[in-house]
Amino acid sequence: MAAGGGNLITLVAALIGVGVVAQILSDRFRVPSVVFLLASGVILGPEVLGVVGPDSFGNALSAIVGLSVAIIVFEGAFHLRVGRLREAPAATFKLVTLGAAIALIGTTVVVHYALGTGWMVAALIGALLVATGPTVIAPILEVVPVRNRVGTALETEGIVNDVTAAILAVVIFEAIIQDVRAPGELLVLFTQRLGSGIAVGLAVAAVVFYALRYVNLSPGNAPQNARLLVLGGALVAYGAAEVVATEAGIAAVATAGILLGNTDVPYEDEITDFKGDVTLIVLSFVFITLAALLQVEYLLALGVGGLLVAALVAVIIRPLLVFISTAGDRFTRGERLFMSFVGPRGIIPASVATLFAVEFRAQGMVAEANVLVGTVFLVIFLTVALEAGFARQIAEFLDVIPMRVIIIGAGNVGRTLARRLEDRGENVVLIEQDVNNVEQARNDGLTVHHGDGTDTEVLRSAGAENAKIVAATTGDDDVNLLVAQLADSKFSPGTILARVNNPDNVDAFEDLGVRAISATEATAMAFDDYIERPSLVNWTSEIGHEGEVQEIEVTADDLVGKTISEIGPQLPARCLIALITRDGKSIVPDGDCQLKRGDQITLIGDDDAIAEALAFVHPDK
């Protein structure tokens, strides 16, 4: 029985409160919030406390879930920047086409044979499990700062597959109910819903954009009115598209979100913050509610076959589609493995499966309803618990959390520096105003933000808040000095470097505590090195390719107190300790020199040997 009005209000408020606590715990323990949300749903559900049950919301559940999903999808789409797609264009396109097809076919086959279901029901489950979604990917990327190209590929895959998976699932569901089997009819159903959603989304986005840009929104309350207009537009897009065709609403809000997010709308920052808060509340409510509706008997009824499906989806099908989709692209092996083992399923499969199960039971198809809900939620629970819950540990094990470096200036110096750092696995973001330099950097496969590097908001959008190093490499000393001042006062990175074109300006930079690199001095030193030390220069020119030099802090207990002569045999072949820096002083060590905790040592050797030596000297890194 549905809860009474007063009880319902109390229940909704309690669920939202639990969701906020889950978000706080997520930030505190650096674990994606979906882990806490699902756990909360299980605890509040009928299997434990019984606070939330199948009848808690009466007949309003489908409408509540539908509108909530609309807000969630719109939020994710609004943040998808088309410009960022250039960072991994081939892989992104393959993930949402070839990768999605592999997931659909592979999951369908596994479900059919492992659980003995009919092909159409297996295909329905397969379609739903294609979707990862921004609701589970975004929280992971908040606690795991991977390279931009990895984050872009995962975010885009989640948003696009949410839409296509939901529409495809609806087509298959209606085909089951109406007993449609012809491929041509299925294609027509799919095209109608996708096309209807896109058309409605385009229309709503155009109206909202026009209103934001050209209608007087009342100057005193313009930011508030802009926020409400965008939120209302998202809900209208969903509702109007649903009237035209069932489940076209998801395509509509995704289309409207992408269009509005990639246009120059007023009060964008206020809109973004507001939508983020609303989405957080809605996401908390829906995740907890859907998790609470699941009954353990559905999971137990699947038996070993259900566990087999979940295992094959996570450790065979997902890695297969990722490696095929990213073949020949710039992703490292560690990044491809990270993408393979961090692909949890999210709110779209959960919500749509729940609604379909209700319809199946109304049609007398109880067995199909149970296997649908049980399989989808089992995969969601296991992938969220293992993949989302241990995402940071997986990233650290695969060494895919790079040092973020912000370089202002994408001229020849900036691009060359960026390429060298990227070759060593660092996450480099360039900031450049000149359109030609931006295009050149993107053609080189580099991540670049088009904007003024002396603008605090541009620096922030490029990730300066998480940067360990900020380097100003433009040909204008005034610009470089201003960038250094902004970085120091607003973001406090570990290191600030600046190119100094006029040697007379070096003192001004050093007075600010900035490490100044004089172009004149650097060029003169390079000539001097070639004249006096040609062999060393030839070797150092290969750093990052065959040879490598790295500086790292000593943290391994086994090394503290030992001499260089004792440590030498334990280092990899073709690698040695060339320098030790202690208390601000650098010394060339002899065999009797003892290492202390916190020493900065400089390792020199072959590429592979240095990588092995870094793990030996600093196992926590």
Side-chain angles (χ1 to χ4, degrees):
M1 180 178 292
N7 292 336
L8 183 59
I9 292 174
T10 303
L11 178 60
V12 172
L15 294 180
I16 292 174
V18 171
V20 172
V21 172
Q23 184 61 45
I24 294 173
L25 292 174
S26 169
D27 293 337
R28 171 65 180 82
F29 295 105
R30 308 299 292 169
V31 174
S33 58
V34 291
V35 175
F36 295 106
L37 293 175
L38 281 179
S40 300
V42 172
I43 294 172
L44 294 173
E47 303 298 334
V48 183
L49 298 180
V51 175
V52 185
D55 299 325
S56 295
F57 302 97
N59 297 326
L61 180 62
S62 59
I64 294 173
V65 171
L67 291 173
S68 300
V69 169
I71 295 173
I72 293 167
V73 172
F74 182 85
E75 163 77 6
F78 190 86
H79 283 94
L80 180 63
R81 296 294 181 261
V82 174
R84 290 189 63 189
L85 300 184
R86 299 183 184 183
E87 296 165 20
T92 302
F93 181 74
K94 290 178 184 176
L95 278 172
V96 300
T97 52
L98 178 60
I102 293 172
L104 171 63
I105 296 171
T107 307
T108 299
V109 172
V110 167
V111 170
H112 173 73
Y113 286 106
L115 299 177
T117 63
W119 281 110
M120 291 299 287
V121 174
L124 177 59
I125 296 172
L128 289 174
L129 293 180
V130 166
T132 50
T135 56
V136 285
I137 294 300
I140 290 175
L141 296 180
E142 287 177 2
V143 299
V144 184
V146 293
R147 279 191 178 187
N148 282 22
R149 65 188 181 214
V150 176
T152 296
L154 290 174
E155 286 176 335
T156 308
E157 178 196 22
I159 292 169
V160 174
N161 282 355
D162 255 6
V163 176
T164 55
I167 294 175
L168 182 59
V170 148
V171 170
I172 296 173
F173 173 76
E174 293 196 358
I176 295 173
I177 298 297
Q178 300 174 20
D179 197 26
V180 174
R181 295 290 186 272
E185 294 182 50
L186 293 175
L187 180 61
V188 169
L189 287 174
F190 181 82
T191 305
Q192 285 176 341
R193 278 154 180 77
L194 182 61
S196 300
I198 292 175
V200 173
L202 283 168
V204 172
V207 172
V208 172
F209 176 77
Y210 180 84
L212 289 172
R213 294 284 293 180
Y214 303 110
V215 175
N216 186 346
L217 297 179
S218 179
N221 294 315
Q224 174 182 309
N225 293 335
R227 295 193 297 263
L228 295 176
L229 180 62
V230 171
L231 177 61
L235 297 177
V236 168
Y238 178 80
E242 287 290 306
V243 172
V244 177
T246 307
E247 292 303 324
I250 295 176
V253 293
T255 301
I258 291 173
L259 290 174
L260 291 173
N262 285 276
T263 54
D264 185 18
V265 296
Y267 313 108
E268 182 175 348
D269 291 340
E270 291 88 346
I271 292 171
T272 299
D273 293 341
F274 174 70
K275 288 193 302 78
D277 292 339
V278 172
T279 300
L280 174 62
I281 294 173
V282 169
L283 175 62
S284 302
F285 174 78
V286 174
F287 247 122
I288 294 173
T289 301
L290 293 181
L293 297 179
L294 182 67
Q295 298 182 28
V296 174
E297 62 186 73
Y298 300 154
L299 303 180
L300 296 178
L302 298 175
V304 176
L307 294 175
L308 181 62
V309 169
L312 292 176
V313 166
V315 302
I316 300 295
I317 297 174
R318 175 69 184 177
L320 177 65
L321 75 88
V322 168
F323 270 77
I324 291 176
S325 299
T326 57
D329 216 303
R330 295 174 294 137
F331 295 94
T332 66
R333 181 174 177 273
E335 289 170 343
R336 296 168 80 186
L337 286 171
F338 175 78
M339 294 167 67
S340 298
F341 295 114
V342 180
R345 275 46 177 187
I347 199 70
I348 293 296
S351 58
V352 177
T354 301
L355 299 180
F356 285 171
V358 173
E359 295 293 330
F360 272 148
R361 292 191 179 98
Q363 298 287 329
M365 305 169 67
V366 178
E368 288 83 353
N370 292 347
V371 75
L372 170 64
V373 172
T375 306
V376 169
F377 270 91
L378 180 62
V379 172
I380 291 174
F381 275 126
L382 291 180
T383 56
V384 166
L386 298 177
E387 297 181 353
F390 293 96
R392 189 170 185 89
Q393 288 77 7
I394 294 172
E396 291 172 346
F397 177 78
L398 296 173
D399 195 24
V400 297
I401 301 179
M403 175 176 64
R404 181 177 285 271
V405 181
I406 304 294
I407 299 176
I408 293 82
N412 291 328
V413 174
R415 293 199 306 271
T416 302
L417 175 60
R419 283 194 295 268
R420 292 177 70 89
L421 292 172
E422 285 234 331
D423 287 343
R424 288 204 291 274
E426 307 301 350
N427 185 19
V428 183
V429 180
L430 288 154
I431 300 176
E432 175 60 58
Q433 264 192 307
D434 185 88
V435 176
N436 293 329
N437 285 341
V438 170
E439 194 64 31
Q440 180 64 57
R442 284 176 175 163
N443 290 339
D444 291 345
L446 300 171
T447 301
V448 58
H449 280 244
H450 183 205
D452 183 359
T454 62
D455 187 324
T456 303
E457 290 307 313
V458 171
L459 288 169
R460 181 173 285 108
S461 68
E465 290 176 322
N466 299 316
K468 292 185 177 179
I469 295 175
V470 172
T473 65
T474 76
D476 189 325
D477 284 357
D478 291 336
V479 170
N480 293 343
L481 185 62
L482 181 54
V483 167
Q485 290 174 319
L486 282 175
D488 182 53
S489 62
K490 300 293 184 180
F491 305 108
S492 301
T495 302
I496 302 174
L497 304 172
R499 169 186 173 185
V500 183
N501 301 282
N502 185 344
D504 294 337
N505 294 332
V506 169
D507 290 342
F509 283 84
E510 292 184 345
D511 288 343
L512 290 173
V514 177
R515 296 188 182 183
I517 300 173
S518 169
T520 302
E521 290 291 331
T523 303
M525 288 176 62
F527 273 100
D528 183 37
D529 287 340
Y530 268 109
I531 293 169
E532 299 293 337
R533 295 166 285 276
S535 296
L536 179 62
V537 172
N538 289 333
W539 184 83
T540 56
S541 66
E542 292 300 313
I543 288 178
H545 298 285
E546 296 179 1
E548 184 62 282
V549 176
Q550 285 284 351
E551 182 180 312
I552 195 166
E553 180 184 357
V554 176
T555 62
D557 293 332
D558 294 341
L559 300 184
V560 176
K562 289 189 176 180
T563 65
I564 297 298
S565 59
E566 292 174 320
I567 296 169
Q570 300 179 57
L571 290 173
R574 302 174 66 82
C575 172
L576 56 86
I577 298 175
L579 201 67
I580 296 177
T581 301
R582 180 183 300 158
D583 299 328
K585 297 181 180 180
S586 296
I587 57 174
V588 177
D590 57 21
D592 295 329
C593 181
Q594 286 186 329
L595 289 183
K596 296 183 178 180
R597 184 176 297 278
D599 281 351
Q600 296 286 335
I601 64 173
T602 301
L603 296 164
I604 184 171
D606 287 351
D607 229 5
D608 294 338
I610 290 296
E612 187 178 341
L614 291 175
F616 173 64
V617 174
H618 191 134
D620 301 326
K621 187 172 179 61

